[in-house]
Amino acid sequence: GAVVSQHPSRVICKSGTSVKIECRSLDFQATTMFWYRQFPKQSLMLMATSNEGSKATYEQGVEKDKFLINHASLTLSTLTVTSAHPEDSSFYICSARPSGRAGDEQFFGPGTRLTVL
Amino acid sequence: QKEVEQNSGPLSVPEGAIASLNCTYSDRGSQSFFWYRQYSGKSPELIMSIYSNGDKEDGRFTAQLNKASQYVSLLIRDSQPSDSATYLCAVGYDTGGGNKLTFGTGTQLKVEL
């Protein structure tokens, strides 16, 4: 149990375009999902917390107008990188915390590697 | 600023040995602690969670927590080459609106034949 999928796994786009990444919890419901970014040789940095039915909460320094998050259902959250630039190239990983379960465990999706040319 | 510190390694151990990975954290109020394994180019995979002082065992893995010392560790018994990965320590903290995780930079473990 606790499987999270992410799509696409890899995307290459031109500078200035927008990219949408989907995160789905496959066998559980998740009121809360999280979006992380990981640069090479660095640890995971939390970008934002996605709450079903309400606005996302962004970490300091993360532009909410650039990284649009929508958590439309208890199993789906999307991250849209708008007007992507080469510095946005990174490994984007979502995680989900099962609803109604004791504990704070987060289960990660396989990640999306974004390359902006 | 919530901080989680880990030795980056690499930590090299021979196959069959015990690997010991350590982590310290700064927030005394933290109540939840996790170890994730991350293979190169992949996303993290949850190995262990621990919430109370003491030891918690799951197969070849044992997590140890000492809240007074703000220290959490992971022991891997009978280390296998497939255990070679980066191990991330994560600490939960309450934001008032739910818990978030702060991750350490990870310790690279190499299990040698």
Side-chain angles (χ1 to χ4, degrees), chain B residues 17-69:
Chain B
I18 296 175
S20 178
L21 305 162
N22 305 313
C23 171
T24 59
Y25 59 95
S26 64
D27 183 12
R28 278 199 174 275
S30 296
Q31 296 295 322
S32 55
F33 308 86
F34 308 89
W35 284 99
Y36 286 85
R37 176 174 62 196
Q38 186 174 26
Y39 292 110
S40 180
K42 303 296 184 181
S43 68
E45 172 191 8
L46 180 64
I47 298 176
M48 295 279 289
S49 61
I50 186 166
Y51 296 86
S52 303
N53 278 329
D55 295 359
K56 179 182 178 183
E57 185 175 319
D58 183 0
R60 296 187 295 115
F61 300 98
T62 298
Q64 299 175 316
L65 174 61
N66 184 325
K67 291 184 181 179
S69 299

Side-chain angles (χ1 to χ4, degrees), chain A residues 34 36 38 43-44 46 49 59 91 93 97 103-111 113, chain B residues 32 34 36 38 41-44 46 49 51 88 93 98-101 103-106:
Chain A
F34 303 86
Y36 294 84
Q38 187 176 36
S43 192
L44 280 75
L46 179 64
T49 303
E59 295 301 299
F91 191 38
I93 317 173
R97 185 163 64 210
D104 297 327
E105 285 86 353
Q106 294 181 23
F107 298 92
F108 284 86
R113 196 162 300 280
Chain B
S32 55
F34 308 89
Y36 286 85
Q38 186 174 26
K42 303 296 184 181
S43 68
L46 180 64
S49 61
Y51 296 86
L88 302 172
Y93 65 96
N99 278 10
K100 298 181 183 180
L101 297 183
F103 284 82
T105 54

Side-chain angles (χ1 to χ4, degrees), chain A residues 31-64:
Chain A
T31 305
T32 305
M33 292 184 174
F34 303 86
W35 288 96
Y36 294 84
R37 182 167 52 181
Q38 187 176 36
F39 292 105
K41 304 295 184 184
Q42 295 185 24
S43 192
L44 280 75
M45 295 300 297
L46 179 64
M47 298 175 65
T49 303
S50 171
N51 299 296
E52 188 268 337
S54 64
K55 290 183 178 181
T57 305
Y58 291 82
E59 295 301 299
Q60 191 172 8
V62 178
E63 300 175 57
K64 60 181 175 64

